[in-house]
């Protein structure tokens, strides 16, 4: 079976971008890749992110369209599903927390198969598992990197690092989060490439961020364990960025670092224009962030239009004789 | 109608492997059995919609207005500004595929464009190209696509192969509701005058006459008289419901399907018998003689127009509150839209059962109670004399009608009622009930003859679950709380599980209901002998 190979374009794009940064650093453009582009990326990220969220917020939520996944509020002897069909703000908050922290809806996932003459459903946990691994390892990696941007290193960053490096493999110690991140991203990627359904609707925009993230993680691991980048110098550069006293450390930090930071910059700048905005959008989804109390409380549609209706008077005008004939009371005899 | 293969053949030939080519490159097939006929001019004119004249989806050229692209662009923009849901749903799908195999139309057709994610992508690709920076610059690399005449055909094809059942939204990590996307897509098509008749005719009828079927007031009364004659024959009790009576305590509204055809009529008889047994002070209305609202399948404005009659009539008649019958999307409209669109209903009182004194605080604002909430409360308070053995010839399972389950969460009330009026109740498998329930395959205006192929396929997951309980427990009756279900299931069951009949919950209630002064019942509401009698006559 030939496959949709749009992922190759994304892979190629990431490789080319990596080479550009590598070559750029090699020919002395460290300041461009180490200072200018990171600053620009962060700027684009903030402006883009804020712009997107404001743009969403600008559109009203005229109707409450909560998707209910359990029993409604009813009589007190009927047990309401307070989280999946919340009627209070507390319920909504818990529902959102479970969704955002535990990916609850994904946990429900089933796969359908036609087996002979029956339709069969199987609970499948893989998507949930890969997604959880991916997001949490990413989070740990990001927090861990705070040590490069603040001095002194906050307590929680060091303790997280300690836990993350618990296995004490190699020197410097291997961070679990990095390995899990590469692993989970690769699994998500393979899922997209190898499962025909996923492959069918996946496009470069779906593959690109995955390759980019894998690129970031791999360059990070390479630097730490193989090219043994000079961490003190890296920190000098990153602290400089964070304190708005940017500078390129004497003696340089190696071209691989610039590939790494270029990838990170690209990812950061790409977020507001891509599906990665789900990190903001998940909070704004009207099917999940509203209580299903529509019949209890009145909600207002800011643009509620006035429409032409067929009034009772018009109706009676039309049917008066028939109504009278049938002995049904009318307003006007 | 197109040829429909035999069930075994149909199911064995469903192939869920998508084609090799990318969906953007595949022209959407307009195949017999998968498209509904366009709306007739007279119906469009009643609603003041663009009437493009006679056309068929199979035509090469569709009757689009000259500035159709502009109309779509403006319409899209307007909707993005009006609905945060649309904007957010356009932006945040990560194409994780969790929704892909959750749609009954995908399961039954194997057509990959029926995967909810792709269905939404049909609209999203245009959104990206026309409304996002990345799409404007990067085009197809960012998933953008230019709007062409083929896009419109594709939209027509696939937005009318979605029953807006919202099952996909349950599984999406962000709650992306493809039904919402479909609704917007249909609104856009409506701007071009591309509507289907099975939706537009009920809409036009409902607007003018008060109900989908265009039943005029005197005919409504005649039908009800006819049904009360049947009730008298079965129970010996003559019922005289009132119409348009001012000062009644309760206005009762149900879908016209309930009084139009079997098996809905039995459910309707059930309501009347229940109210009679309670001595309820209620009235029916000929003006608001429709619970269902096909405006939901057309546009938000149309939905509002049709829905307005409920409150208008309640106000005119001076009732205290409204009781609503068994209907699927009627309750979605009531729960999610009515109060916002046509409220406040401050001329009524918070519903209170005159029999039990229970106050329905969950309907404090809309002032409208679902009949299974009402009946469950009666049973809970021991206000009904019930003989469940009269339903002994039925082994019942319950279909959670999509809309009340996924828009409201009305799950336990109907079950409580059924379990109190029947001795034999069996649940279908877990993945197919409650919020994971499967559509009848004929919802949102797709209940017409010409899409029978689509309906039988879309109804497969539901039918298959019924078949499971038929084989396991001998289930022979499928209960539901939706008039569309009652119209859609008979042919669906006939095809997949012919041994199983269809009923509304209140038909079962009325069978079991022991009314004061009734004669000894020998038949159920369908004039089928009650079990004992059957045995006797056998001997
Ligand atoms: S489940 Fe949601 S995020 Fe995933 S593909 Fe479907 S709509 Fe997109
Ligand atoms: S709303 Fe229902 S019919 Fe429409 S795509 Fe989702 S699951 Fe399919």
């Amino acid at each position: 079976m030939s496959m949709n190979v749009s992922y190759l374009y994304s892979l190629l794009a990431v490789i080319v971008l990596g080479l550009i940064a590598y070559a750029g650093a090699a020919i002395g453009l460290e300041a461009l890749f180490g200072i200018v582009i990171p600053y620009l990326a962060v700027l684009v990220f903030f402006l883009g992110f804020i712009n997107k969220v404001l743009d969403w917020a600008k559109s009203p939520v005229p109707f409450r369209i909560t998707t209910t996944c359990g029993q409604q509020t009813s009589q007190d002897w009927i047990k309401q599903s307070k989280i999946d069909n919340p009627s209070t703000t507390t319920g909504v908050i818990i529902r959102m927390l479970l969704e955002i922290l535990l990916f609850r809806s994904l946990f429900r996932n089933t796969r359908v198969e036609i087996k002979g003459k029956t339709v069969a459903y199987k609970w499948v946990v893989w998507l949930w598992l890969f997604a959880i691994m991916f997001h949490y390892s990413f989070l740990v990696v990001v927090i861990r990197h705070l040590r490069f941007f603040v001095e002194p290193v906050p307590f929680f960053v060091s303790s997280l690092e300690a836990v993350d490096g618990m296995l004490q493999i190699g020197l410097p110690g291997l961070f679990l989060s990095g390995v899990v991140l590469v692993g989970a991203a690769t699994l998500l990627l393979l899922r997209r490439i190898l499962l025909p359904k996923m492959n069918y609707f996946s496009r470069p925009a779906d593959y690109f961020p995955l390759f980019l993230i894998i690129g970031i993680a791999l360059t990070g691991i390479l630097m730490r364990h193989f090219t043994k980048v000079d961490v003190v110098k890296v920190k000098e550069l990153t602290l400089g960025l964070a304190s708005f006293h940017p500078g390129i450390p004497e003696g340089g930090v190696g071209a691989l670092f610039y590939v790494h930071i270029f990838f990170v910059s690209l990812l950061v700048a790409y977020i507001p224009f891509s599906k990665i905005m789900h990190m903001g959008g998940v909070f704004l989804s009207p099917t999940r962030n509203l209580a299903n109390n529509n019949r209890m409380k009145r909600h207002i549609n800011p643009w509620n239009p006035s429409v032409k209706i067929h009034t009772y008077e018009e109706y009676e005008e039309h049917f008066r004789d028939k109504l009278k004939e049938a002995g049904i009371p009318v307003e006007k005899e | 109608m197109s040829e429909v293969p035999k069930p075994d053949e149909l199911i064995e030939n469903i192939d869920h492997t998508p084609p090799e080519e990318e969906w953007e490159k595949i022209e959407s097939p307009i195949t017999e059995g998968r498209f509904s006929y366009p709306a007739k001019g007279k119906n469009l004119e009643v609603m003041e919609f663009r009437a493009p004249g006679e056309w068929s989806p199979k035509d090469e050229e569709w009757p689009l207005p000259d500035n159709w692209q502009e109309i779509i662009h403006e319409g899209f923009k307007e909707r993005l500004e009006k609905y945060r849901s649309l904007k957010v749903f356009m932006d945040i799908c990560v194409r994780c595929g969790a929704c892909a195999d959750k749609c009954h139309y995908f399961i039954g057709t194997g057509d990959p464009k029926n995967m909810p994610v792709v269905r939404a992508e049909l609209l999203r690709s245009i959104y990206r190209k026309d409304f996002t920076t990345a799409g404007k610059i990067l085009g197809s690399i960012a998933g953008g696509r230019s709007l062409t005449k083929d896009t419109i055909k594709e939209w027509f094809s696939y937005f009318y192969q979605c029953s807006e059942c919202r099952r996909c939204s349950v599984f999406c990590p962000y709650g992306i509701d493809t039904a919402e996307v479909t609704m917007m897509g249909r609104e856009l098509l409506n701007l071009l005058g591309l509507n289907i008749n099975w939706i537009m005719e009920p809409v036009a009828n409902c607007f003018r006459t008060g109900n989908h079927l265009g039943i005029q007031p005197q005919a409504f009364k005649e039908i009800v008289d006819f049904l009360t004659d049947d009730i008298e024959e079965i129970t010996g009790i003559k019922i005289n419901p009132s119409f348009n009576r001012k000062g009644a305590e309760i206005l009762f509204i149900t879908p016209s399907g309930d009084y139009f055809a079997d098996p809905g009529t039995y459910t309707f008889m059930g309501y009347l018998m229940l109210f009679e047994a309670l001595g309820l002070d209620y009235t029916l209305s000929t003006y608001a003689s429709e619970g269902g609202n096909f405006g939901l399948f057309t546009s938000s404005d149309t939905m509002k127009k049709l829905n307005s009659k409920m409150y208008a009539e309640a106000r005119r008649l001076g009732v205290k509150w409204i009781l609503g019958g068994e209907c699927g999307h009627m309750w979605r409209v009531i729960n999610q839209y009515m109060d916002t669109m046509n409220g406040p209903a401050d001329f009524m009182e918070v519903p209170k059962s005159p029999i039990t004194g229970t106050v329905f605080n969950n309907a404090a604002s809309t002032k409208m109670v679902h009949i299974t909430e009402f009946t469950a409360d009666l049973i809970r308070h021991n206000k009904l004399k019930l003989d469940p053995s009269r339903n002994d010839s039925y082994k019942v399972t319950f279909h959670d009608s999509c809309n009340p389950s996924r828009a409201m969460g009305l799950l336990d009330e109907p079950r409580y009622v059924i379990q109190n009026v029947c001795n034999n109740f069996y649940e279908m498998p877990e993945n197919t009930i409650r919020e994971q329930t499967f559509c009848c395959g004929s919802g949102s205006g797709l209940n017409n003859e010409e899409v029978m192929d689509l309906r039988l396929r879309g109804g497969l997951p539901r039918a298959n679950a019924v078949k499971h309980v038929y084989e396991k427990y001998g289930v022979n009756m499928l209960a539901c709380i939706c008039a569309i279900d009652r119209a859609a299931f008979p042919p669906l069951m006939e095809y997949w599980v012919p041994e199983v009949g269809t009923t509304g919950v209140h038909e079962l209630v009325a069978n079991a209901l022991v009314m004061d002064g009734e004669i000894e019942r020998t038949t159920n509401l369908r004039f089928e002998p009650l079990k004992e009698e059957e045995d006797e006559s056998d001997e």
Side-chain angles (χ1 to χ4, degrees), chain A residues 65 203 287-288 298 305 322, chain B residues 24 166 169 216 304 339:
Chain A
I65 54 168
R203 290 294 171 271
T287 53
R288 294 288 156 76
R298 182 163 154 73
K322 288 172 173 167
Chain B
E24 294 95 328
R166 310 183 95 208
S169 127
Q216 302 191 359
K304 179 173 174 167
D339 199 14

Side-chain angles (χ1 to χ4, degrees), chain B residues 102-105 114-116 119 161-169 177-179 182:
Chain B
K102 303 305 180 287
C103 174
H104 50 286
Y105 290 121
N114 272 328
M115 293 193 269
R119 201 189 305 286
Q161 286 188 64
C162 166
S163 53
E164 304 182 347
C165 77
R166 310 183 95 208
R167 187 170 194 266
C168 45
S169 127
D177 182 4
T178 308
T182 297

Side-chain angles (χ1 to χ4, degrees), chain A residues 242-307:
Chain A
S243 59
F244 295 104
H245 295 295
I248 299 298
E250 293 279 314
V253 283
L256 199 56
F257 168 76
Y258 292 98
V259 179
H260 187 69
I261 199 167
F262 185 52
F263 280 170
V264 173
S265 304
L266 286 173
L267 183 70
V268 163
Y270 179 67
I271 289 172
F273 308 99
S274 69
K275 67 176 196 177
I276 311 178
M277 270 312 283
H278 70 270
M279 66 196 263
V282 63
F283 293 91
L284 289 174
S285 176
T287 53
R288 294 288 156 76
N289 70 7
L290 295 172
N292 174 32
N293 58 2
N294 306 0
R295 285 161 72 212
M296 281 169 253
K297 288 206 183 96
R298 182 163 154 73
H299 301 287
I300 305 294
N301 171 2
W303 48 262
N304 199 20
S306 64
V307 294

Side-chain angles (χ1 to χ4, degrees), chain B residues 326-339:
Chain B
E326 299 180 15
C327 180
H329 69 276
M330 155 180 171
W331 278 95
R332 174 145 174 223
V333 172
I334 290 164
N335 188 45
Q336 295 189 335
Y337 303 101
M338 177 163 79
D339 199 14

